[in-house]
Amino acid sequence: MKHEKTHQNTPPAHQQAGFLSMKLLMGVFIGILLWGGFNWSLEMTNTESYCLSCHEMQGISFDELQETVHYSNRTGVRASCPDCHVPKEWTHKVVQKISAAIRELPAHWSGKLDTPEKFEEHRLAMATLEWNRMKANGSRECKNCHDSKSMDYTKQEPRSSARHEEAEAEGKTCIDCHKGIAHHLPKGWKEASKEATDKK
Amino acid sequence: MKKILAISLIGLLSLLIQATAMAEKESTENTTMSQTESSIETTATEESAEESKETEATEEAEDAEATEDDKDQAAVLGDSIDVYSLRGDNDIDAASEAFPNHRTMVVDGGIDVTFGDQPPMVPHSIDKDRISLQENTCLKCHSKADSKLESAPKPTPSHFKGRDGKKKSKIVAGRYFCTQCHTPQANTKPLIKNNFKD
C-alpha cells in the first residue's frame, strides 16, 4: 500500500524534470515582462512629450525654453526636459523619479500651479530646489553634454575663458554662475542665487 | 532758356511714352497669364527680359537727354523717381526681403565712445539676455556688487538718481531697460555717409 501511495504522489523522473524546466521558463518570461515593463515605463515617463502632457509644463516652462539656446541654436543640437531634470545613471534616476512622484503629482492634482500667477508665486521656490540639487551633485546633468575635458578655453571669448579658469580653480560648478539659462529667473533671484551658490 | 525748356519737354515726353508702354505691357501680361496658367513662368520671364531690355534702352536715351534736368523735372512733376521705402520696392502684401545675417561684434576692452555723454555701446552679444519685471540678466555682471568680480563696467551714478533728484539704492525705473540706450553692434557697411565730429 505504502509503495503504491508514494508511487501515486511523485511523478516519474522525466515528468518531474519537465515540470521544473516549465517553471523556470515561466519565471524567466515573467521576469522579462516585469523588468522590461518597468524599464519601458521608466523610459516612457522620461520623454519631453510626457513632461508636456501636464499643462503646467506647456504654458510657461516650455515656452521659456524655446527662446533659449538650449532649444534653438546654430547647430541644431538641443536639450529636452529630462536631459537636465532627470539624471542619466540608474540609481539617481530612480531617486529623482520617486521624489518627483511624491512632490509633483499631488501638486498637479491639487492645482498648485494651474495659473501663471500661481506659477510665478512658486517660481523662486522651484528654482531654488533645482539650484540646490544641481549644486549638490556638481551640475551632473550639465556635464552629461558639457564636458570640461572637451572644453577648449582658447576657442572661447577671452572674458569667458578667464572666468571659466577661475571657476575651475575655485572648484565651482556650472550652476554657480549659469542660473536662468533655460527658464526665466524668478523675482528676487539675485539674493536667492547668492545663497544657493554659497551653500556647501 | 529756350534750350532748357526744349530739353525738359523732351524729357517729359519720353517719360509719358515709357509710362504708356509699361501700362500696355502689364495689360498684355495679365491677359496671357489668365489664358495659359501652365506657361506662366516661362512667358513671364521672357516678357520681363524683353521689358527690361526695352526699359533699359529708353532709360539710357532718357538719361542722355535729361541728366542735367533731373532736379527741375522732379520739381515740376512734384514727385521723385528713385525713392524707395526701407523695405525696397516689393509689394506691400509680399514678404519683406531678409536682412543679411550679421554677427554681433565682440570687442575686448569695449568700444570707445565718440562724444562725451554717449551711452557706451555693448561690445558683446546679448542674445541670451532678458529684461523684464522679474529679471534683468545684464545685471548678472553689470550690477554694482558684481561689476568688480566680473570686470564689467558698472552703471554710472546717474542711473541711481530718481526723478526727484535724490539718490536711490537700486537702478531707477527710467534707466532699468538697458537696451534703450546701450545696444550691441555689428560690423556692417554704413547706410549713409556720416561726417560727425565731436
Side-chain angles (χ1 to χ4, degrees):
Chain A
M1 282 296 277
K2 249 185 185 178
H3 181 75
E4 272 178 33
K5 241 187 184 173
T6 48
H7 190 76
Q8 268 180 349
N9 284 352
T10 51
H14 68 275
Q15 267 186 28
Q16 213 169 6
F19 185 63
L20 260 175
S21 61
M22 263 303 279
K23 247 185 174 175
L24 206 75
L25 262 172
M26 283 287 280
V28 167
F29 185 69
I30 290 168
I32 287 171
L33 216 67
L34 282 176
W35 185 243
F38 176 71
N39 272 319
W40 176 76
S41 53
L42 206 64
E43 280 311 306
M44 280 292 284
T45 55
N46 214 24
T47 58
E48 196 168 71
S49 52
Y50 173 77
C51 302
L52 294 179
S53 61
C54 285
H55 74 272
E56 283 95 336
M57 295 295 151
Q58 294 158 14
I60 298 167
S61 311
F62 193 56
D63 279 6
E64 287 174 2
L65 171 70
Q66 279 170 302
E67 294 168 12
T68 71
V69 74
H70 279 93
Y71 184 88
S72 161
N73 52 54
R74 186 173 52 87
T75 53
V77 183
R78 61 154 297 212
S80 64
C81 321
D83 286 331
C84 305
H85 294 289
V86 186
K88 289 264 185 288
E89 293 84 357
W90 196 87
T91 37
H92 299 303
K93 189 191 219 169
V94 170
V95 169
Q96 176 75 2
K97 282 271 171 205
I98 292 169
S99 64
I102 293 167
R103 195 173 48 227
E104 275 145 39
L105 289 179
H108 171 63
W109 288 322
S110 66
K112 195 177 174 185
L113 304 169
D114 56 5
T115 67
E117 290 76 22
K118 283 186 192 171
F119 193 97
E120 219 53 61
E121 200 183 304
H122 293 283
R123 193 193 277 270
L124 183 61
M126 293 190 288
T128 314
L129 213 67
E130 270 313 88
W131 293 341
N132 289 342
R133 188 179 69 82
M134 288 270 194
K135 172 83 181 169
N137 67 26
S139 305
R140 185 181 50 213
E141 280 71 64
C142 307
K143 287 170 183 170
N144 282 336
C145 295
H146 300 275
D147 191 354
S148 63
K149 279 182 202 141
S150 302
M151 206 180 262
D152 189 346
Y153 290 150
T154 60
K155 296 218 166 127
Q156 295 179 347
E157 271 178 41
R159 196 181 292 104
S160 318
S161 66
R163 293 289 285 139
H164 277 144
E165 275 173 274
E166 272 173 47
E168 202 168 35
E170 288 169 28
K172 283 187 170 174
T173 86
C174 317
I175 197 71
D176 285 330
C177 302
H178 298 282
K179 291 190 182 79
I181 45 147
H183 306 291
H184 292 183
L185 288 161
K187 203 169 187 177
W189 59 275
K190 194 128 204 183
E191 296 74 26
S193 90
K194 276 232 161 67
E195 218 170 89
T197 308
D198 294 339
K199 217 172 217 174
K200 273 283 154 208
Chain B
M1 195 58 197
K2 271 183 186 175
K3 250 187 183 178
I4 294 166
L5 266 171
I7 291 167
S8 61
L9 262 173
I10 292 164
L12 271 168
L13 271 172
S14 63
L15 254 178
L16 270 170
I17 291 160
Q18 202 189 335
T20 47
M22 289 273 275
E24 267 175 29
K25 234 155 252 155
E26 266 180 30
S27 62
T28 50
E29 214 177 77
N30 285 341
T31 50
T32 50
M33 271 165 89
S34 59
Q35 276 165 3
T36 50
E37 274 190 15
S38 58
S39 57
I40 285 172
E41 280 176 32
T42 48
T43 50
T45 47
E46 276 168 21
E47 270 182 40
S48 65
E50 276 172 34
E51 198 181 311
S52 66
K53 266 183 198 170
E54 278 177 36
T55 46
E56 264 175 39
T58 49
E59 266 171 21
E60 269 172 36
E62 186 203 306
D63 280 350
E65 284 167 13
T67 36
E68 300 159 29
D69 241 31
D70 262 352
K71 278 179 194 170
D72 291 11
Q73 209 176 67
V76 169
L77 285 170
D79 64 341
S80 35
I81 298 149
D82 288 328
V83 175
Y84 299 113
S85 75
L86 276 175
R87 64 196 296 277
D89 59 345
N90 49 345
D91 287 333
I92 284 177
D93 53 353
S96 56
E97 275 169 47
F99 285 103
N101 190 9
H102 290 294
R103 289 221 170 177
T104 313
M105 236 157 77
V106 178
V107 186
D108 207 25
I111 304 166
D112 292 334
V113 289
T114 40
F115 59 95
D117 290 329
Q118 187 201 338
M121 295 186 286
V122 182
H124 56 79
S125 163
I126 56 164
D127 292 349
K128 292 178 193 169
D129 286 296
R130 300 178 301 263
I131 304 170
S132 73
L133 189 65
Q134 275 80 28
E135 51 176 354
N136 182 336
T137 54
C138 304
L139 296 179
K140 268 184 171 179
C141 299
H142 290 283
S143 72
K144 252 183 179 178
D146 295 295
S147 62
K148 206 168 186 183
L149 177 71
E150 306 286 350
S151 54
K154 64 169 180 276
T156 55
S158 60
H159 293 71
F160 297 91
K161 207 183 267 176
R163 281 197 288 182
D164 51 4
K166 281 177 190 159
K167 215 184 152 210
K168 311 280 184 204
S169 61
K170 279 183 177 174
I171 290 183
V172 293
R175 305 273 195 160
Y176 181 75
F177 295 95
C178 318
T179 46
Q180 276 189 324
C181 299
H182 307 283
T183 51
Q185 304 295 310
N187 216 346
T188 59
K189 216 175 124 193
L191 290 171
I192 50 163
K193 206 180 157 194
N194 189 351
N195 297 321
F196 175 79
K197 265 175 200 164
D198 190 21

